Amino acid sequence: MSMAPPPPPSYEAPEQGRPAERWSSTMGFVLATAGSAVGLGNLWGFAYRASQGGGAAFVLLYLLIVLVVCLPVLVAEMVLGRSTGHSPLLAPLTAGGRRWAPLGWLYLLVAAGILAYYSVLMGWTGRSLLHALLESLPATMAEAEAYFGAISSGGDAVLGHLISLALTGVVVAAGIRSGIERLSRWGLPLLFLLLLGLAIWAAGLPGAREGYATFLLRWDASKLIDPTTIRNAFTQAFFSIGTGVGAILAYGTYLDRRSAIPAEAALVVGMDTAVALMAGCVTFPVVASFGLGAGVSGSTVGTLFIALPTGLASQGAIGRLVAGLFFALAFIAAITSSVSLLEVPVSSLIDRFGWSRGRAVWLCVAVIAVLGLPPALNVAALERMDAIFGGVLLLSGGLAMALLLGWQAPARFHADLLGSGSPPWLVGALLWALRWLAAPALGLGLAMSSFDLIGRGAG
Ligand code: PFF
């Protein structure tokens, strides 16, 4: 006798209002979502934060936070998108009622705010790529700093920002399958290959061992409770996975009802973490081999743009090739992330007002182009926007997601995951982690980064 599985708890018929577009396959969704996660944060943020100290303790905390905090929130975000079928603007309202409507606006604000400065960073990356290929690499740290000053402010930076945003707009305007999915399908495997090649090359450098040992492997147990290390690991994990902004939620709305969300989320998290660690295996040997340690820990956003080309300059043509490949892969990583950020307001306008995709894209691009002018003209403004949008507000979005699906609408979480075939024990464990680990840990992380922001403002 076969037992029919119990019907999932009922919630609003999700097929209503579901967008017509779909990923061509589950793999398409996984690659696009991993493309969103893998970005400049992995290449630049990880190296920068790991170099601020902490060594293996930083890496361990990072892995722990990714597993117990980011993973359940990522699953919740995918569930919220798929089960409501609505954009980031309307999904919280649909799942939680009127009280949750402001969360939709928060997602729009955070995505637009991050994209405004992210496209500036992308512009620097593109400029550095051209520089490595067509001109020469800066030979000394002083030359590199002068060069970085030139690309990171004024007309060059504004132009780079506008071109990057326009490219992002072109991809998003082409649609889910023919734009975003197609880009990730070739971009992500290419990025992996390039990074693997560079990591192998870097392993042969004279300072490779010292590089790994100083930044990734040095063990100091007291760093596990050091507030700076904890805060760095938290901010890095959330920005890198990119949950709490609504981007993955938007991608989730185009997801097939049957696909197994927990396994997909685990794949995404695994790829993102692998890229961060591999990127560390490129940058740290370069830094140690060419004696750039002081420059790296002294600078902030400039790390990648200053230290890397300087180190490679002494390697002649090979150095230029390596720098070119590195900035090319960074640019690919950046654009597969920026499209997911733009999809947040774009899908919301389509969902809320019934606009055409093209109209929504170009209106959002115009607004974000203006928002990006301050960070394009001033590096301090960029760092500030990163602390506000990429730090405090991103964590607030993640906390709200954990509260909405963990506490306000757990039936939706259950129903969606059980209905798509996930085993009950796994769904139970994820819900438990969302409620009792992710929500309190996010509250703590948010408090720490808010104090940090206030402290910086006062200091
Ligand atoms: N995860 C991206 C990175 O590491 O660069 C940045 C990002 C993308 C953040 C998408 C937030 C987001 F929604």
Side-chain angles (χ1 to χ4, degrees):
M1 193 178 72
S2 71
M3 285 246 295
S10 67
Y11 59 100
E12 181 211 345
E15 290 309 327
Q16 289 169 12
R18 255 168 93 72
E21 288 193 90
R22 284 282 174 281
W23 302 105
S24 70
S25 66
T26 299
M27 208 50 203
F29 167 73
V30 170
L31 285 176
T33 308
S36 164
V38 170
L40 293 174
N42 300 60
L43 305 173
W44 144 77
F46 189 82
Y48 158 57
R49 295 206 169 88
S51 68
Q52 284 193 325
F58 168 82
V59 177
L60 194 72
L61 283 172
Y62 176 83
L63 294 176
L64 198 71
I65 292 168
V66 161
L67 271 185
V68 301
V69 186
C70 293
L71 187 64
V73 179
L74 186 66
V75 170
E77 191 164 341
M78 291 177 179
V79 165
L80 187 56
R82 175 166 79 175
S83 69
T84 60
H86 278 297
S87 63
L89 178 62
L90 299 183
L93 175 96
T94 313
R98 286 206 154 274
R99 275 192 309 157
W100 288 87
L103 181 57
W105 290 103
L106 177 73
Y107 288 145
L108 253 61
L109 179 76
V110 184
I114 294 181
L115 183 53
Y117 71 84
Y118 203 79
S119 64
V120 174
L121 290 170
M122 219 168 130
W124 297 358
T125 311
R127 183 74 183 81
S128 301
L129 170 62
L130 292 181
H131 197 86
L133 294 181
L134 306 176
E135 296 164 48
S136 60
L137 296 175
T140 60
M141 215 57 180
E143 254 181 72
E145 274 171 27
Y147 157 76
F148 176 67
I151 63 159
S152 62
S153 58
D156 265 18
V158 173
L159 190 66
H161 156 62
L162 295 179
I163 293 175
S164 304
L165 206 52
L167 286 176
T168 305
V170 169
V171 177
V172 177
I176 293 303
R177 266 192 209 188
S178 347
I180 296 177
E181 185 176 333
R182 195 193 288 171
L183 173 75
S184 316
R185 270 185 187 276
W186 68 260
L188 214 63
L190 180 64
L191 184 151
F192 263 109
L193 277 181
L194 288 177
L195 199 55
L196 190 65
L198 290 181
I200 293 171
W201 169 82
L205 288 174
R209 273 168 154 268
E210 189 197 330
Y212 306 138
T214 316
F215 295 110
L216 295 174
L217 303 175
R218 193 187 36 208
W219 177 249
D220 175 357
S222 70
K223 291 286 183 193
L224 285 174
I225 47 167
D226 171 42
T228 309
T229 311
I230 299 177
R231 200 188 53 234
N232 273 342
F234 227 101
T235 318
Q236 182 56 30
F238 260 81
F239 189 82
S240 185
I241 303 291
T243 178
V245 184
I248 312 295
L249 190 168
Y251 281 7
T253 58
Y254 311 116
L255 187 57
D256 190 88
R257 295 212 123 308
R258 283 157 311 185
S259 58
I261 283 184
E264 286 153 22
L267 260 176
V268 169
V269 162
M271 288 194 224
D272 187 71
T273 308
V275 170
L277 292 173
M278 273 160 77
C281 292
V282 177
T283 36
F284 296 128
V286 171
V287 167
S289 299
F290 304 109
L292 305 166
V296 172
S297 42
S299 81
T300 51
V301 292
T303 308
L304 194 68
F305 301 91
I306 297 177
L308 206 78
T310 318
L312 295 171
S314 62
Q315 303 288 296
I318 295 273
R320 261 171 85 169
L321 180 70
V322 169
L325 289 177
F326 190 86
F327 284 116
L329 86 85
F331 197 83
I332 298 172
I335 191 164
T336 55
S337 298
S338 67
V339 292
S340 73
L341 288 164
L342 185 58
E343 184 62 19
V344 174
V346 165
S347 59
S348 298
L349 289 178
I350 297 174
D351 190 24
R352 173 72 179 75
F353 299 109
W355 284 14
S356 72
R357 180 165 276 275
R359 185 175 176 200
V361 166
W362 297 114
L363 179 93
C364 293
V365 164
V367 172
I368 295 167
V370 176
L371 288 179
L373 291 178
L377 292 169
N378 180 338
V379 176
L382 190 151
E383 286 177 1
R384 213 163 177 74
M385 282 179 81
D386 182 38
I388 296 173
F389 292 100
V392 172
L393 291 179
L394 181 106
L395 293 181
S396 313
L399 176 60
M401 185 80 68
L403 294 176
L404 175 56
L405 280 174
W407 293 99
Q408 170 80 37
R412 179 176 290 274
F413 191 83
H414 260 129
D416 182 273
L417 292 178
L418 292 178
S420 53
S422 292
W425 68 265
L426 180 62
V427 179
L430 283 167
L431 188 61
W432 188 86
L434 194 62
R435 290 178 145 191
W436 297 107
L437 298 178
L442 271 160
L444 186 74
L446 182 60
M448 288 177 86
S449 43
S450 307
F451 283 131
D452 182 48
L453 188 69
I454 296 166
R456 267 200 250 179

